Amino acid sequence: MKKFLNTPETLLVDALRGLAAAHPELRVDVDRRIITRADGPRRGKVGLVSGGGSGHEPLHGGFVGPGMLDAACPGEIFTSPVPDQILAATRAVSGGAGVVYIVKNYTGDVMNFQMATELATDERIATETVLVNDDVAVKDSTWTAGRRGTGATVFVEKIAGARAERGASLREVAELARRVNAASRSFAVALTACTTPAAGKPGFDLPDDEIEVGVGIHGEPGRSREKVRSAKQIVAGALDAILSDRPLTPADQPIVMVNGLGATPLIELYVLFGEVAAVLSGHGVRVARALVGNYITSLDMAGASITVCGADDELIALWDAPVRTPGLRWGV
Amino acid sequence: MKKFLNTPETLLVDALRGLAAAHPELRVDVDRRIITRADGPRRGKVGLVSGGGSGHEPLHGGFVGPGMLDAACPGEIFTSPVPDQILAATRAVSGGAGVVYIVKNYTGDVMNFQMATELATDERIATETVLVNDDVAVKDSTWTAGRRGTGATVFVEKIAGARAERGASLREVAELARRVNAASRSFAVALTACTTPAAGKPGFDLPDDEIEVGVGIHGEPGRSREKVRSAKQIVAGALDAILSDRPLTPADQPIVMVNGLGATPLIELYVLFGEVAAVLSGHGVRVARALVGNYITSLDMAGASITVCGADDELIALWDAPVRTPGLRWGV
């Protein structure tokens, strides 16, 4: 295993120190592992908190800032944050209007955010939990009952964040976030496994001429192992899975993300995006907004995911609203 | 070799199609391989053109847009663009105030931009060439006489682009660009080699327990092969090379980039950035602006580069100026 790190044990803390040094506009509590906006909490604003295992950067810490999250709670690599940590983040962003938890559907995350909800309720902080479960590849998975939560998390955090920024009630923000999740579907393909620093070796074996189709963001198995195929064929398969589950019509204004899983060059992501746009065009659907790059990764996995959100005027306007975070930034 | 592509021969064209589909604010001439701003040329504005081999994305096509480049000319993978292509880009951005060529110091690039200069002169388009040669690792290299041009290209394109946007003469923009280059130094380390699609196998052999110190962005050899070491030790060596060549004082306001070479997870880049900030702090130097991510890559190479620009108030103000490109965006 070759990685840029000091020790596997200090990887998260060392990375948080780097995040703090690079982004003075964030407040990074390295000891408690909480990343918040330096200008928070904002009185009367609904707070948005997300979190999950580390190893998916820029998600979630890289999406903290005006127009997106108020706080992120990173766990250890591929490990859920703990309830006390989530509670501390909740307190840190509570401005009296309640707090929305955005939770990717993994059993550990769901359980720990549920426990944090109970702790917050004891402190009279109202919360709403929004579960993201957009990955159409498999029904249940290694660490999941039901669909896994993956790329749609980026859309939910951005769009709900914009709505909260403009002023909306706890219920309104949560319902909008659920609507974004319901309109979104994802599918991922791995060319290689990822290596966690603790394990020191790839999480699964994949022959030199095979790909894992429908892989999860921790390397969970997908639908099938298949022989290497062209970008066009890979995209056709992924979009078939996505669109058969949630069809698009020419009236939709899809937001489309082609996301690298960590070790995939940008030039390859653009090849994939070109194929996605071509397939959608064949369905009479035009991409309304595009995001191509590394947004929700899986350490050093070579692979890519495609996420499609069937958006409308309201969601597009919120997508376009100003955002200022390390991972997504425009309009400011 | 596993990559997301259709055929090695169509990689560049397929990627350009994807770039065009994702970024309607750009004009992508797939046949002639020229990327320009959709709103260009701007009368009276100095045009900025860069280019070089593909495989370094987002550089250069991802840096076309308001506040940065007016055009980029991508060659084939790791291959210079040709003079006619550069001339066509020059014509496309010429607004009557002249055109600055930003050229990374590689023999092929230098030669082809020189030939384009002669062609442009024949058409009475005034040009100035700015050579970027910031890599302190080696004096001469596989494809270079003198120092290689690497990460500082991002700084030169951003800062000169801001100056041109505000209105400045051809000579002023070129001189500023040269000043940025002169104030910048880079150093890169590879954990793995990259694989070009045409070759289908890694460009060099690197044992599982060794790193290439001072590597070039095409996998050119560096200063030495060394045993795997900690992030702290790697940063110490890189900054020693950088700062012994161009010392910083507490009066400097350095812009610091920790750049992934293509297959390095963001969490590792933040570990490196934390170490860079700590070393500089030990010298009494505070990072003024930070950039952490993939900006000038080497296909699927696992590795990272550090670039430091000893900036001042003027350069910082231009760095902060609005930019709207696929790869760098803020203020708009």
Side-chain angles (χ1 to χ4, degrees), chain A:
Chain A
M1 176 184 71
K2 289 192 280 190
K3 291 179 184 293
F4 293 114
L5 47 72
N6 292 315
T7 67
E9 294 71 30
T10 60
L11 172 59
L12 176 56
V13 163
D14 289 345
L16 288 176
R17 288 210 180 93
L19 188 75
H23 301 289
E25 71 278 14
L26 299 179
R27 191 180 293 141
V28 181
D29 185 331
V30 175
D31 292 333
R32 296 198 298 173
R33 301 176 187 193
I34 300 169
I35 300 152
T36 52
R37 292 165 53 165
D39 64 346
R42 302 260 305 280
R43 185 181 297 264
K45 179 187 170 296
V46 172
L48 264 70
V49 173
S50 193
S54 293
H56 307 302
E57 292 69 25
L59 187 96
H60 298 275
F63 296 139
V64 174
M68 215 160 164
L69 296 178
D70 293 280
C73 312
E76 288 292 328
I77 299 291
F78 294 173
T79 303
S80 174
V82 295
D84 281 351
Q85 180 186 2
I86 301 168
L87 178 66
T90 307
R91 286 186 193 131
V93 307
S94 173
V99 174
V100 172
Y101 292 154
I102 299 172
V103 183
K104 301 191 299 303
N105 188 33
Y106 294 94
T107 304
D109 291 335
V110 171
M111 184 183 70
N112 284 297
F113 273 94
Q114 173 58 31
M115 291 173 68
T117 295
E118 291 164 18
L119 297 173
T121 303
D122 289 346
E123 300 194 3
R124 298 176 170 273
I125 301 174
T127 65
E128 286 262 6
T129 295
V130 175
L131 206 63
V132 180
N133 60 350
D134 55 310
D135 185 344
V136 299
V138 292
K139 179 75 186 76
D140 299 302
S141 180
T142 316
W143 296 294
T144 321
R147 286 180 171 176
R148 300 176 298 218
T150 58
T153 316
V154 179
F155 295 169
V156 170
E157 293 178 359
K158 169 65 184 82
I159 291 172
R163 187 78 181 84
E165 204 73 46
R166 290 179 179 192
S169 71
L170 177 62
R171 200 177 119 187
E172 286 168 338
V173 174
E175 283 182 356
L176 179 76
R178 290 185 190 112
R179 187 154 82 79
V180 174
N181 176 61
S184 300
R185 299 291 186 278
S186 293
F187 196 94
V189 172
L191 306 183
T192 70
C194 62
T195 297
T196 63
K201 59 187 179 57
F204 55 89
D205 291 316
L206 196 55
D208 280 347
D209 63 343
E210 291 187 11
I211 62 177
E212 180 76 33
V213 176
V215 72
I217 55 171
H218 314 92
E220 307 95 306
R223 292 186 170 186
S224 58
R225 289 276 169 92
E226 297 178 15
K227 291 291 175 192
V228 170
R229 53 197 54 199
S230 72
K232 185 188 288 284
Q233 289 168 317
I234 286 171
V235 166
L239 280 183
D240 187 55
I242 287 171
L243 297 178
S244 64
D245 197 78
R246 204 289 188 188
L248 290 177
T249 74
D252 283 303
Q253 299 174 58
I255 305 171
V256 176
M257 176 170 72
V258 170
N259 169 65
L261 292 178
T264 298
L266 188 56
I267 193 169
E268 296 180 35
L269 299 181
Y270 275 113
V271 170
L272 293 173
F273 189 87
E275 300 298 339
V276 171
V279 170
L280 293 181
S281 178
H283 286 79
V285 175
R286 190 190 154 118
V287 175
R289 297 292 184 275
L291 204 55
V292 182
N294 294 340
Y295 296 98
I296 169 171
T297 59
S298 184
L299 291 172
D300 57 351
M301 185 183 286
S305 64
I306 298 169
T307 302
V308 178
C309 174
D312 56 18
D313 286 341
E314 183 192 7
L315 299 189
I316 294 287
L318 290 164
W319 179 259
D320 288 344
V323 60
R324 182 180 181 158
T325 72
L328 274 192
R329 184 170 172 183
W330 54 72
V332 281

Side-chain angles (χ1 to χ4, degrees), chain B residues 238-248 279-280 283 308:
Chain B
L239 280 184
D240 186 56
I242 287 171
L243 297 178
S244 65
D245 197 77
R246 204 288 188 189
L248 290 177
V279 170
L280 292 182
H283 286 78
V308 177

Side-chain angles (χ1 to χ4, degrees), chain B residues 295-311:
Chain B
Y295 296 98
I296 169 170
T297 60
S298 183
L299 291 171
D300 57 352
M301 185 183 286
S305 63
I306 299 168
T307 302
V308 177
C309 173

Side-chain angles (χ1 to χ4, degrees), chain B residues 144-178:
Chain B
T144 321
R147 286 180 171 176
R148 300 175 299 218
T150 60
T153 316
V154 179
F155 295 169
V156 170
E157 293 178 359
K158 169 65 185 80
I159 291 172
R163 188 78 182 84
E165 204 73 46
R166 291 179 178 190
S169 71
L170 177 62
R171 200 177 119 188
E172 286 168 339
V173 175
E175 284 181 355
L176 179 75
R178 290 184 190 113

